[in-house]
Amino acid sequence: MTQGESRTPVDLKTDQPHAARVYDVLLGGKTNYPSDRAMAENVVENLPAARLTALSNRAFIHRATRYLAAEAGIRQFLDIGTGIPTSPNLHEIAQAEAPDSRVVYVDNDPIVLAHSRALHIGRPEGRTAYIDADAADPDRILAAPALRETLDLGRPVALSLCLLLHWLPATADPYAVVRRLVGELAPGSHLVITHFARDFDKEGTDGLESDFKSSGSQLKARTKDEVTRFFDGLTLIEPGIVVPHQWRPAAVAVDVGSPDSTTDESAVPVWAGVAVKNS
């Protein structure tokens, strides 16, 4: 069963690069435009392992979702900063492990909304919904009818904020956003985060931040200690905060070309972690 929200058509601003579409370029997708491909070239210039990083992030999301559904017993998922649908999507992974899983996707990118139908094709035992909302406005997300009609916040929920928090505008406090969202979740809920890292290549990181700033986007890389703060009050699942390919690595890489656990830590400048809310 599916549901979602809609809005009047808006300008996709295809002449300006957008983070979700640049990510799509790096994953080898086709939902992008010349401005996005040009920016992707700049990204690769500053971060030669950009495509490896994108694949590593996606493979981590797959593994984390399987862990949550198969081992942690989670049946409800809230994915904020969904991005352009790329199969297998989060609900496909979750419902393959537990067909009755319910998933709510949140994004405010009009091109994601345009392709959101792909996020509504799931198992009949489960349910999916799409909310058009800004991650910097957690109150709007929490008040959305589609959220309350799809998920029971009195039961555990897995909150996914992958490659999202470093994009929040300077006017938003990312730590406050996370606290507000996690504060509404029941004990037993989990928080999943991946975040662009500042620890490995400062020159390349500075270059990326500058490139996106010149295109009108905010990009704020953070250190491992700064990323760890997002999990304050929660219990980290082993192995804690690590680069994505070192978080419970699969015996065989899920995505062709994605790194395995032997890949050098500095090759993928992203921190990843999963934590549980105990009370």
Side-chain angles (χ1 to χ4, degrees):
M1 189 172 182
T2 67
Q3 68 183 80
E5 296 186 353
S6 62
R7 67 179 182 184
T8 56
V10 298
D11 182 3
L12 295 180
K13 297 181 180 178
T14 58
D15 59 325
Q16 300 175 19
H18 189 283
R21 299 195 303 255
V22 174
Y23 184 65
D24 183 67
V25 175
L26 296 174
L27 287 175
K30 300 184 180 188
T31 310
N32 50 73
Y33 300 90
S35 62
D36 307 305
R37 294 190 282 275
M39 178 58 79
E41 291 179 5
N42 290 342
V43 170
V44 172
E45 183 176 339
N46 286 288
L47 179 63
R51 184 173 186 273
L52 187 71
T53 299
L55 289 170
S56 179
N57 180 73
R58 185 169 68 174
F60 162 79
I61 293 172
H62 291 172
R63 293 197 307 279
T65 302
R66 289 191 185 95
Y67 163 79
L68 291 165
E71 298 185 44
I74 297 296
R75 295 295 180 266
Q76 302 188 110
F77 296 81
L78 175 56
D79 180 27
I80 303 178
T82 299
I84 295 168
T86 303
S87 187
N89 295 290
L90 189 148
H91 73 277
E92 295 172 296
I93 298 292
Q95 291 179 354
E97 300 293 340
D100 59 337
S101 295
R102 294 180 165 223
V103 180
V104 173
Y105 294 104
V106 181
D107 210 300
N108 70 334
D109 179 5
I111 199 167
V112 177
L113 177 61
H115 290 269
S116 65
R117 183 180 179 187
L119 302 175
H120 291 164
I121 302 172
R123 297 288 186 92
E125 304 97 320
R127 193 171 184 179
T128 66
Y130 179 90
I131 299 171
D132 178 23
D134 190 338
D137 187 0
D139 287 336
R140 180 180 173 188
I141 295 171
L142 293 169
L147 175 68
R148 301 289 176 166
E149 293 167 6
T150 307
L151 304 183
D152 176 1
L153 298 189
R155 297 172 53 238
V157 173
L159 170 62
S160 176
L161 305 171
C162 291
L163 292 188
L164 169 72
L165 295 169
H166 50 244
W167 293 115
L168 293 187
T171 55
D173 178 351
Y175 297 101
V177 168
V178 173
R179 285 195 302 271
R180 178 74 179 96
L181 292 167
V182 172
E184 287 293 308
L185 303 182
S189 293
H190 287 65
L191 174 63
V192 183
I193 290 176
T194 58
H195 195 294
F196 188 39
R198 178 169 290 282
D199 310 69
F200 303 114
D201 181 0
K202 186 178 186 305
E203 183 178 352
T205 298
D206 289 345
L208 282 178
E209 289 177 339
S210 177
D211 283 347
F212 276 102
K213 184 176 181 180
S214 66
S215 71
S217 295
Q218 163 85 11
L219 174 62
K220 172 68 174 175
R222 291 183 170 86
T223 65
K224 184 176 185 178
D225 285 346
E226 290 173 321
V227 173
T228 301
R229 282 181 54 203
F230 287 116
F231 296 96
D232 282 355
L234 307 178
T235 300
L236 283 163
I237 303 299
E238 289 295 333
I241 307 297
V242 293
V243 290
H245 54 285
Q246 292 181 0
W247 195 90
R248 300 186 172 226
V252 178
V254 174
D255 296 293
V256 175
S258 63
D260 59 28
S261 60
T262 64
T263 302
D264 186 77
E265 181 181 66
S266 62
V268 179
V270 168
W271 291 120
V274 179
V276 60
K277 179 179 180 179
N278 292 315
S279 62

